[in-house]
Amino acid sequence: QQQVKQSPQSLIVQKGGISIINCAYENTAFDYFPWYQQFPGKGPALLIAIRPDVSEKKEGRFTISFNKSAKQFSLHIMDSQPGDSATYFCAASGYDKIIFGKGTRLHILP
Amino acid sequence: DAGITQSPRYKITETGRQVTLMCHQTWSHSYMFWYRQDLGHGLRLIYYSAAADITDKGEVPDGYVVSRSKTENFPLTLESATRSQTSVYFCASGRSSGANVLTFGAGSRLTVL
């Protein structure tokens, strides 16, 4: 199967809190797992990505955790800020395919 | 300007009309994609192209036609627009498919009355 299941559909977090978005995939042929961030009126843009040979990747306040055996990966946003309010898409890609999750609308309360 | 450009950004049309959304990229990326974004459905792939003159269907191709005579252009045509095609359309490009960074355009918001 080619699905990527993303949850939650929407998320509200207080400023300074941790935002967590989860994704699960089915096809073990996927070998690249990016997260895209989309602001209103804009196209999605690559935020951070990971390959399955590592369990975690951190870039500033953004961290991907990857569990290859469970076929799950998650995005953690530490010290969430109002400017992080956006829609986040996880994706899984492999040869000739990139499959997106349905997105999570994140709202950070000031 | 370098990047990926979509036009028009906004379009209102009527049922049954033909509409073409344009996409132009300046990176000479081999792969180009068309997605539609609808609330609750995320990004759904309509068509993609691996190179000039090579196109393939995605998840929701019905009612759409694409062509790619030049590497930099990838127009999407709705031959007879329907209300269900009201959506925001995104074009994207990348050096390859799979383990690839996609760069998206700003989107074209289409309303079919």
Side-chain angles (χ1 to χ4, degrees):
Chain A
Q1 289 297 320
Q2 302 288 345
Q3 280 189 323
V4 174
K5 296 181 179 178
Q6 182 172 347
S7 63
Q9 190 172 8
S10 62
L11 180 63
I12 299 174
V13 176
Q14 291 281 353
K15 178 182 176 182
I18 302 174
S19 303
I20 302 174
I21 304 170
N22 300 299
C23 285
Y25 64 99
E26 298 172 346
N27 189 336
T28 56
F30 292 135
D31 60 1
Y32 185 69
F33 299 88
W35 286 86
Y36 285 80
Q37 180 188 54
Q38 182 184 29
F39 293 108
K42 306 290 186 182
L46 180 69
L47 178 64
I48 186 173
I50 195 169
R51 291 192 181 272
D53 53 347
V54 296
S55 60
E56 185 176 283
K57 183 174 182 180
K58 184 176 181 179
E59 290 184 1
R61 295 184 294 107
F62 299 90
T63 299
I64 300 177
S65 298
F66 190 87
N67 185 329
K68 187 174 181 178
S69 60
K71 293 187 283 187
Q72 295 175 348
F73 58 110
S74 59
L75 176 69
H76 292 65
I77 306 174
M78 311 300 289
D79 186 27
S80 299
Q81 299 297 311
D84 297 330
S85 297
T87 298
Y88 293 81
F89 292 96
C90 64
S93 69
Y95 178 74
D96 204 33
K97 292 283 186 187
I98 178 166
I99 308 296
F100 286 91
K102 291 188 176 182
T104 297
R105 299 180 73 174
L106 174 65
H107 182 65
I108 308 300
L109 297 173
Chain B
D1 290 337
I4 184 164
T5 305
Q6 292 185 232
S7 63
R9 291 292 315 278
Y10 303 92
K11 176 75 176 178
I12 299 174
T13 191
E14 295 177 336
T15 301
R17 299 241 181 188
Q18 179 174 287
V19 176
T20 295
L21 305 180
M22 304 300 294
C23 180
H24 175 78
Q25 54 106 352
T26 59
W27 292 299
S28 299
H29 284 164
S30 56
Y31 278 79
M32 296 188 75
F33 306 80
W34 274 107
Y35 291 88
R36 60 178 289 175
Q37 184 175 22
D38 305 286
L39 198 62
H41 292 280
L43 294 163
R44 291 185 290 176
L45 182 64
I46 304 170
Y47 270 96
Y48 69 100
S49 168
D53 297 323
I54 301 175
T55 62
D56 207 349
K57 295 178 180 180
E59 180 185 356
V60 289
D62 293 344
Y64 303 96
V65 175
V66 294
S67 62
R68 192 150 176 225
S69 58
K70 293 183 178 181
T71 300
E72 60 267 31
N73 296 324
F74 191 39
L76 176 74
T77 297
L78 290 66
E79 292 190 305
S80 179
T82 65
R83 289 191 180 133
S84 65
Q85 293 177 310
T86 293
S87 186
V88 181
Y89 292 86
F90 287 100
C91 178
S93 71
R95 286 190 298 275
S96 65
S97 67
N100 174 34
V101 174
L102 293 189
T103 303
F104 284 82
S108 294
R109 181 177 292 275
L110 175 67
T111 301
V112 183
L113 302 176

